[in-house]
Amino acid sequence: MLEIEIDGKKLTVPGGSTVMDAANSVGVHIPHFCYHKKLSIAANCRMCLVQVEKAPKPLPACATPVTDGMKVWTHSDQAVKAQQGVMEFLLINHPLDCPICDQGGECQLQDLAVGYGQSGSRYTEEKRVVANKDLGPLISTDMTRCIHCSRCVRFTEEIAGFQELGMAGRGEFTEVMSFIGKTVKSEISGNVIDLCPVGALTSKPFRYSARTWELSRRKSVSPHDGLGSNLVVQVKNNKVMRVLPLENEAINECWLADRDRFSYEALNSAERLQKPMIKQGGVWQVTDWQTALEYVANGLKQVVSDHGAASVAAVATPNSTVEELFMLRKLMAGLGVENVETRLRNADFSLNTAGATWLGQSIAELAASEAVLVIGSTLRQEQPLLAQRLRQSVKKGLKLSLVNVHSDDLLTKVAAQSVVRPDQLVEGVLAVIKAVVEADTSKAAPAHIDLAGVEVTDAARTIAATLTGKSAVLLGNIATHNPRAAELHAAAAALAELTGATLGVMSEAANTVGAQLIGATVGGNVFSSEPAPKKAYVLLNAETEFDTHNGAQALAAVKAAEMVVVMSAFNSCALDFADVILPVSPFSETSGTFVNMEGKPQSFNGVVRPLGETRPAWKVFRVLGNVLGFNGFDYESSEQIRDEALPGDTVARLNNAAAAAVVVKAQAVSGLVRLGEVAMYQADALVRRAPSLQATLAAPALKANAATLAALGLAINDLARVEQGGQSVSLFAELDAGLADNVIRVPASHSATRELAGMFDSLSVSKA
C-alpha cells in the first residue's frame, strides 16, 4: 500500500494504482475523455492533467502511477490552466451544433466545456470536416464531432476481441474508421455508443426520436439469454425509446449485448396484439376479455372431459417470468393437467437432475477460473457477454478449451479445440475422459461411462492437460438441445468429477433456471404423437415453428388439435391454427422475476403501461382460475406469487448432479447430419421483430466444408435443395472450413428453414 495526498486528503492505495484510481477511490473528480476503467490507458486526450509536487509540468492522472508520499492537486491554478488549454484545443475543430446533436444533454464535452471552456474562441481559421462512416444498421456516425479519444477503437480490440475500428492519419487529420468496405458486426458493438463521450457515435434506431431530458429512466432485466443483464429502460409518452446498461459488476459489468440494447424496437412493433380475438366459423373476431376467458375456460374443461387431462399440454418459452410460469402450472394443475413444458428446443428429456441445472458457480467465480472447457456452444451467439468475460480472463491466464461442432472464432486464444459432428459430441467428451485416465492411472472412469472403442486425439490430450486447478466444464445450448443431451451431461459430469472441475450449464434463456425451480419442465416432447396426439394446447409466449426443436412437427401438432389457446404479445402465424388469442404483456409491461444462470432471482417492474387491452399473463391466469372456480388464485401482486413460487434460498435447490446414473457409450454414425443452431437474433419473439437487429443478419445458407461440398457436387453459391422430415427448402451453398466432414450447417428457428425437422437430425442434400 502506498500513501498519497490528493487536494490535501491523505489516503493509501494499492501499489500499481494510478492517480486517477486514487482520486476515484475518494470521490475526487478529475475531468477526462479517453480514460475508462474497463479499457487500457491511452492518455491521448490530456484532459486529466493534474499538478504533481516536484513535477516540472502537469501530468495525466490516468497514466501517472502513484508513488509513496506523492502530493497531487487536481484543481490548483496550474492544473486548471492546463485543463482549460486542452479544452480550447478540443473545441478548435468541434462543430457548434449542440442543438441538433443527438448527444445533446448527455455529452461529456458539453459538461466539461461549461467548467473549463471559454465564452469565445481565438481560432478563426476554417474548421475541418470529416466524412461520416457506415458502421451498419445499429450505429450512426457524425465523425466531424470526434475528439479522437480512441475509446471505441480500444473497445473493439480489447473487449469485443477484434479491431473493427482504427485510427488513420495524424494530428487534426486523424479519423476513426472501419476497415475498407466493412461495418461493425460484433455482437456487443452497441457499447461504443455509451463509450463515445461526444456525439460522434450514436444509436441509429434511437436517432432524433427524443431528447435525454424528456426520458424517464426505469430499471429492468434483460429477457433474453441466461446472464440476466441489468437494464435502464428510457421511456417517453408511455413508449420505450431506448435501453442502456445498468452497471452491475457481478453480472453484466457496464456492458450490454446488442440484442439486449436494440430488441426494444419489437415492443413498439406494428405486430403487437391489443385486443383478445376468437375464431368463429374460420373468421377472426375481436372480443372482450370476459368472453374470451369464458371461451378458454369452457373449451379446456370440455377437452379434459372428453379426452382426459393427459390430452392437454401447456407450452411456454423460458423467457417467461417465474410468476407467469407458476400461475400457468397452477392453472393446469387445477384442470388435472401435468404437461407443462418450457424445454421446447430440447430433443432428449430423459435426464433427471437432483435440482435445477445452473452455472455451478457465480459468473465472477467462473471468470476467475484457471481453465474452462466449453462443450457444444456457439458461445458468442448464445452468451455474448459471458464470452466477453471469458475473453478478458484468457488475457489473465485462463486456458479456454472447446469440444464443439464447429470452430467458429471466439476472438480469443484457445488452448485446444476438438471439432466433431453434432451426433459425436458425446464421443468428443469421452475422448477427453479417456485422456485424463491415461495420463493419471490412479483415476478411473465411473462404471456407467464406457470408454471401449473411444479414440483419444491430440486435442483431447491437450484439453485434459488444461483441466487442473480451479476449472469449469460448461455445457452450451448445442449440448442441451442435442438428441443425446442426457449422455452429454453424464459424460461432462464424469469429466468434472475426475478433474475436480465444476460442472455448469449455460442457461438458454432468461428464466431457464426459474422454470425448473417451479416445475415447469414436465411433459417432454408434447408435440409428439406418441403415445397419443394432444387435443388442446395453451401456448405462452411460444411460436411453435420458431421456438421448438422440430418446428415442422410442432406446427403439425397444433394444427391437428381441437383447441389451441395462444397467449402472446404479437400477431403471428398462430392465426392459422389458434382458436383464441389473448394479448399478454411483454417484460416491459409487467412486473416479474427472472432467475439467471447463477441462480440469482432478479425482480423487476413494468416500465410502461400495457398497450391497448393487453394484460400481464399472471393476471390473465389469476382471472382464469377464478372463472374456473379454483381456490388459491386471489393474488393481489406479482410479489405474492413470487414469494410462493420461490420460497427460501433458491441456490439450495440448484444441483447439476444426475438423479440416476446414465449409461454413456460410444456410437458409430454415418451419413449427413444437420447442425441447426439458433441464430442470435432468431432466439425469441422480441429479437425476431427488431428491424435493426434483423438488418445485421445475412440470409440463411447451407454451409459445409470443402470435402463435403465436393462430395455433394456443390460449388460455392450453388443453389442446393435440403430435404428433412418430408419437407424441403432451397438454400445457397457456402464454404465453412470449421465444420467436420458430412456436417451440414442449416440454421434453425428461421422463416426460411422452419419447414425442416429436427435441429440435429439426419438430412439429404442435392443440387437444385
Side-chain angles (χ1 to χ4, degrees):
M1 300 296 290
L2 304 175
E3 288 189 2
I4 181 175
E5 183 179 303
I6 298 180
D7 294 339
K9 298 179 181 178
K10 291 185 178 181
L11 63 148
T12 56
V13 295
S17 298
T18 63
V19 172
M20 183 73 81
D21 296 331
N24 288 338
S25 70
V26 290
V28 174
H29 176 70
I30 299 176
H32 61 272
F33 291 112
C34 69
Y35 169 79
H36 190 276
K37 63 182 179 181
K38 294 290 184 181
L39 302 176
S40 63
I41 295 170
N44 56 0
C45 78
R46 317 306 285 183
M47 192 64 210
C48 65
L49 292 174
V50 294
Q51 180 181 352
V52 179
E53 185 182 45
K54 298 180 181 178
K57 59 182 180 180
L59 299 177
C62 67
T64 302
V66 171
T67 58
D68 203 28
M70 175 183 279
K71 290 186 178 181
V72 177
W73 294 271
T74 65
H75 295 87
S76 65
D77 290 343
Q78 185 189 50
V80 170
K81 185 176 181 180
Q83 292 159 358
Q84 288 175 337
V86 170
M87 177 58 70
E88 184 173 15
F89 274 110
L90 287 175
L91 294 176
I92 277 177
N93 275 312
H94 198 81
L96 298 176
D97 64 348
C98 294
I100 65 163
C101 178
D102 224 28
Q103 192 87 352
E106 52 185 0
C107 174
Q108 285 181 252
L109 187 64
Q110 270 186 330
D111 295 341
L112 294 181
V114 171
Y116 299 92
Q118 305 297 321
S119 59
S121 174
R122 293 182 287 174
Y123 185 78
T124 58
E125 287 77 17
E126 187 174 338
K127 295 193 176 195
R128 63 161 191 178
V129 176
V130 182
N132 291 333
K133 311 298 187 292
D134 179 14
L135 300 186
L138 304 178
I139 303 169
S140 182
T141 60
D142 285 286
M143 300 313 296
T144 302
R145 298 172 182 151
C146 178
I147 60 170
H148 308 151
C149 72
S150 77
R151 280 185 179 183
C152 57
V153 176
R154 285 176 284 149
F155 173 83
T156 59
E157 182 175 10
E158 299 166 13
I159 308 299
F162 178 68
Q163 191 176 29
E164 295 181 287
L165 295 174
M167 298 182 76
R170 298 190 66 183
E172 70 170 351
F173 301 107
T174 301
E175 293 186 34
V176 173
M177 60 181 65
S178 59
F179 289 92
I180 296 175
K182 302 288 186 181
T183 59
V184 176
K185 293 185 177 180
S186 166
E187 63 279 2
I188 55 176
S189 65
N191 290 290
V192 300
I193 298 167
D194 301 332
L195 288 172
C196 184
V198 294
L201 303 176
T202 55
S203 169
K204 190 170 283 188
F206 175 72
R207 189 171 174 84
Y208 298 145
S209 59
R211 285 297 194 181
T212 180
W213 55 84
E214 300 174 317
L215 302 172
S216 58
R217 292 158 176 79
R218 292 155 191 177
K219 297 178 181 179
S220 191
V221 179
S222 169
H224 303 298
D225 61 55
L227 195 77
S229 297
N230 290 196
L231 312 177
V232 173
V233 181
Q234 298 189 324
V235 176
K236 177 184 177 183
N237 296 333
N238 201 49
K239 182 179 179 181
V240 174
M241 305 298 293
R242 183 167 61 169
V243 172
L244 299 175
L246 176 63
E247 186 170 348
N248 186 331
E249 194 65 24
I251 297 177
N252 57 301
E253 300 173 278
C254 57
W255 312 122
L256 273 190
D258 285 354
R259 67 178 167 197
D260 299 330
R261 183 184 299 271
F262 296 108
S263 64
Y264 75 88
E265 286 184 295
L267 301 172
N268 308 315
S269 167
E271 292 186 52
R272 283 292 306 274
L273 289 167
Q274 297 192 42
K275 294 184 177 181
M277 296 192 296
I278 295 176
K279 187 184 287 184
Q280 297 284 359
V283 178
W284 283 101
Q285 305 284 342
V286 174
T287 187
D288 60 86
W289 271 103
Q290 185 65 29
T291 302
L293 293 178
E294 288 178 356
Y295 181 90
V296 171
N298 294 332
L300 291 176
K301 283 196 297 185
Q302 189 64 46
V303 172
V304 171
S305 175
D306 292 345
H307 305 285
S311 67
V312 180
V315 174
T317 65
N319 305 90
S320 307
T321 66
V322 165
E323 292 80 357
E324 291 168 350
L325 295 176
F326 180 79
M327 292 296 283
L328 173 61
R329 182 172 173 271
K330 191 169 185 177
L331 182 74
M332 291 297 107
L335 291 166
V337 175
E338 295 183 358
N339 299 317
V340 180
E341 189 57 80
T342 55
R343 299 168 296 175
L344 306 187
R345 292 198 175 107
N346 284 23
D348 182 4
F349 299 91
S350 62
L351 176 68
N352 291 311
T353 52
T357 56
W358 66 305
L359 192 61
Q361 57 192 314
S362 71
I363 296 166
E365 287 172 336
L366 175 67
S369 299
E370 296 174 19
V372 171
L373 169 61
V374 177
I375 301 171
S377 174
T378 310
L379 191 60
R380 286 174 54 203
Q381 291 194 48
E382 295 172 12
Q383 311 290 346
L385 292 182
L386 190 62
Q388 176 276 134
R389 198 179 273 242
L390 290 176
R391 194 179 299 130
Q392 305 313 310
S393 297
V394 169
K395 295 179 182 178
K396 300 173 184 176
L398 180 141
K399 296 177 181 177
L400 180 63
S401 302
L402 306 165
V403 175
N404 217 349
V405 293
H406 53 68
S407 60
D408 286 3
D409 191 358
L410 292 182
L411 304 178
T412 190
K413 181 182 177 182
V414 174
Q417 180 170 237
S418 176
V419 178
V420 297
R421 292 166 52 112
D423 49 6
Q424 289 281 283
L425 262 177
V426 172
E427 285 69 23
V429 180
L430 289 178
V432 180
I433 293 175
K434 193 168 184 177
V436 170
V437 173
E438 288 180 352
D440 187 348
T441 55
S442 65
K443 296 178 179 178
H448 62 280
I449 304 294
D450 189 346
L451 299 179
V454 175
E455 181 181 350
V456 180
T457 62
D458 290 340
R461 292 188 181 93
T462 306
I463 293 171
T466 67
L467 295 176
T468 56
K470 186 180 183 301
S471 305
V473 176
L474 303 180
L475 292 167
N477 289 358
I478 293 175
T480 54
H481 298 160
N482 199 282
R484 300 174 67 188
E487 288 183 80
L488 269 169
H489 190 283
L495 177 60
E497 184 180 350
L498 283 169
T499 58
T502 300
L503 176 65
V505 178
M506 294 183 287
S507 301
E508 173 189 6
N511 201 33
T512 300
V513 177
Q516 296 177 68
L517 286 172
I518 60 123
T521 51
V522 180
N525 185 3
V526 295
F527 297 112
S528 173
S529 59
E530 301 295 334
K534 299 291 184 287
K535 299 298 183 181
Y537 288 95
V538 178
L539 307 179
L540 174 62
N541 298 323
E543 297 179 298
T544 50
E545 63 274 49
F546 297 115
D547 294 323
T548 55
H549 182 84
N550 188 328
Q553 181 191 60
L555 199 56
V558 294
K559 285 183 175 180
E562 292 181 9
M563 183 175 188
V564 178
V565 180
V566 171
M567 302 177 66
S568 175
F570 301 101
N571 191 355
S572 69
C573 47
L575 292 170
D576 297 337
F577 57 78
D579 296 286
V580 57
I581 299 180
L582 306 178
V584 295
S585 301
F587 81 105
S588 58
E589 298 170 16
T590 182
S591 54
T593 304
F594 294 136
V595 183
N596 73 351
M597 66 172 72
E598 63 180 3
K600 181 178 182 179
Q602 298 189 100
S603 296
F604 55 91
N605 294 315
V607 297
V608 293
R609 296 188 303 275
L611 181 67
E613 294 185 21
T614 300
R615 296 291 180 267
W618 67 266
K619 290 187 177 182
V620 176
F621 290 130
R622 179 188 64 185
V623 178
L624 262 176
N626 292 328
V627 171
L628 286 163
F630 298 154
N631 294 323
F633 279 80
D634 298 323
Y635 299 100
E636 295 182 359
S637 67
S638 63
E639 288 78 11
Q640 281 185 310
I641 304 173
R642 178 198 62 199
D643 294 342
E644 183 178 336
L646 298 175
D649 182 12
T650 56
V651 176
R653 297 158 59 196
L654 307 174
N655 197 327
N656 290 324
V662 176
V663 176
V664 184
K665 186 177 182 179
Q667 299 178 13
V669 296
S670 61
L672 298 177
V673 64
R674 180 184 178 189
L675 168 55
E677 79 269 52
V678 180
M680 179 165 45
Y681 302 142
Q682 296 292 333
D684 58 63
L686 286 175
V687 293
R688 289 194 288 265
R689 290 172 174 82
S692 298
L693 293 178
Q694 294 302 310
T696 67
L697 295 177
L702 178 153
K703 298 181 180 181
N705 66 19
T708 305
L709 288 176
L712 294 170
L714 293 173
I716 297 173
N717 293 327
D718 277 353
L719 189 63
R721 182 177 298 280
V722 181
E723 296 186 38
Q724 191 185 38
Q727 301 291 328
S728 66
V729 298
S730 294
L731 300 169
F732 288 102
E734 292 183 6
L735 176 65
D736 189 336
L739 297 174
D741 290 344
N742 295 318
V743 176
I744 307 297
R745 194 171 193 172
V746 176
S749 300
H750 195 285
S751 57
T753 61
R754 63 184 178 182
E755 295 179 0
L756 298 178
M759 297 161 63
F760 305 107
D761 294 348
S762 60
L763 76 176
S764 61
V765 177
S766 59
K767 192 170 182 179

